[in-house]
Amino acid sequence: NAGVTQTPKFQVLKTGQSMTLQCAQDMNHEYMSWYRQDPGMGLRLIHYSVGAGITDQGEVPNGYNVSRSTTEDFPLRLLSAAPSQTSVYFCASSSPGRTGTDTQYFGPGTRLTVL
Amino acid sequence: QQQVKQSPQSLIVQKGGISIINCAYENTAFDYFPWYQQFPGKGPALLIAIRPDVSEKKEGRFTISFNKSAKQFSLHIMDSQPGDSATYFCAASTTSNTGKLIFGQGTTLQVKP
């Protein structure tokens, strides 16, 4: 199993450009989430999905769109990049266990710089 | 509004010492409290987790202590090793909303040899 994969690893954008961060998992997990990590802020939830066709907003959803057409893929779209979106983005997946625990498995991250 | 507050921001411990990281939460609906460990350039990985029906959980050198009335929980790393040097995040969620982890700000731990 590859686990959670993210592409690209690094990206530089100019203000106003759009792009899609890719995330895929091969563990057949129902839940997938996107977080951004900024110094001193921890990880903040952007959007999440509990299954194909179902998405919801997290703490910081503005400026980002998501869709979930398959169980495996959960792309994150930046509509019009802004310098405030410079961050490291992590995708995670999980599957509710029988005991209700929720181990989230994180991808390696995408480091995005917006100039 | 920070629902989970973590301290200290950074911590330096000698090899063999005890590392202690504290977290406090506000939402009494939270019922799942994991700790994640992150090495530079990597994604976070689950270290240990606890639910409020127990006050302590131990896995090897790592122990979570939980105080439901104070809405606080902490991570203790016994016999700290240089390989433990990493960033540690506490988090919280509700069972009904798994996948929506609320993270603390993180603690950078350095264990000196």
Side-chain angles (χ1 to χ4, degrees):
Chain A
N1 284 356
V4 179
T5 58
Q6 292 183 238
T7 56
K9 290 186 177 180
F10 302 94
Q11 184 70 49
V12 179
L13 291 178
K14 294 181 179 179
T15 297
Q17 287 184 315
S18 63
M19 79 159 295
T20 300
L21 306 184
Q22 301 292 343
C23 174
Q25 54 94 6
D26 61 359
M27 297 174 282
N28 200 31
H29 284 168
E30 298 96 322
Y31 293 176
M32 296 186 75
S33 307
W34 276 102
Y35 296 86
R36 60 177 290 174
Q37 183 175 14
D38 302 291
M41 304 285 289
L43 291 98
R44 291 180 293 170
L45 182 66
I46 304 172
H47 286 285
Y48 73 103
S49 169
V50 299
I54 306 171
T55 64
D56 204 351
Q57 296 181 352
E59 302 170 83
V60 288
N62 293 341
Y64 307 95
N65 272 358
V66 292
S67 61
R68 184 104 179 264
S69 57
T70 67
T71 299
E72 296 79 17
D73 300 298
F74 191 43
L76 177 71
R77 298 182 187 84
L78 279 69
L79 308 174
S80 177
S84 61
Q85 294 179 305
T86 294
S87 187
V88 181
Y89 291 84
F90 288 100
C91 179
S93 73
S94 59
S95 183
R98 292 177 182 176
T99 57
T101 59
D102 182 38
T103 300
Q104 289 211 1
Y105 296 88
F106 283 80
T110 293
R111 185 174 294 275
L112 176 68
T113 300
V114 183
L115 302 176
Chain B
Q1 179 184 3
Q2 189 72 35
Q3 294 192 57
V4 178
K5 295 182 179 180
Q6 183 173 345
S7 62
Q9 186 175 358
S10 62
L11 182 61
I12 300 175
V13 173
Q14 291 295 128
K15 179 182 176 181
I18 303 173
S19 304
I20 302 174
I21 305 171
N22 300 300
C23 282
Y25 63 97
E26 299 174 359
N27 188 346
T28 55
F30 288 149
D31 59 0
Y32 176 63
F33 303 92
W35 284 89
Y36 280 79
Q37 180 188 55
Q38 183 182 33
F39 293 103
K42 304 292 185 182
L46 180 68
L47 185 63
I48 187 173
I50 196 169
R51 290 192 172 274
D53 52 344
V54 295
S55 60
E56 186 175 283
K57 183 174 182 179
K58 183 176 181 180
E59 291 185 1
R61 297 184 292 108
F62 300 91
T63 300
I64 299 179
S65 297
F66 185 81
N67 185 329
K68 187 175 181 179
S69 61
K71 294 188 289 184
Q72 295 176 348
F73 58 110
S74 60
L75 176 69
H76 296 235
I77 306 175
M78 312 300 288
D79 186 26
S80 298
Q81 299 296 312
D84 297 331
S85 297
T87 300
Y88 293 81
F89 293 96
C90 63
S93 73
T94 62
T95 301
S96 61
N97 256 331
T98 57
K100 284 187 69 175
L101 284 175
I102 305 299
F103 283 86
Q105 298 93 326
T107 297
T108 300
L109 171 65
Q110 181 183 358
V111 181
K112 289 192 170 183

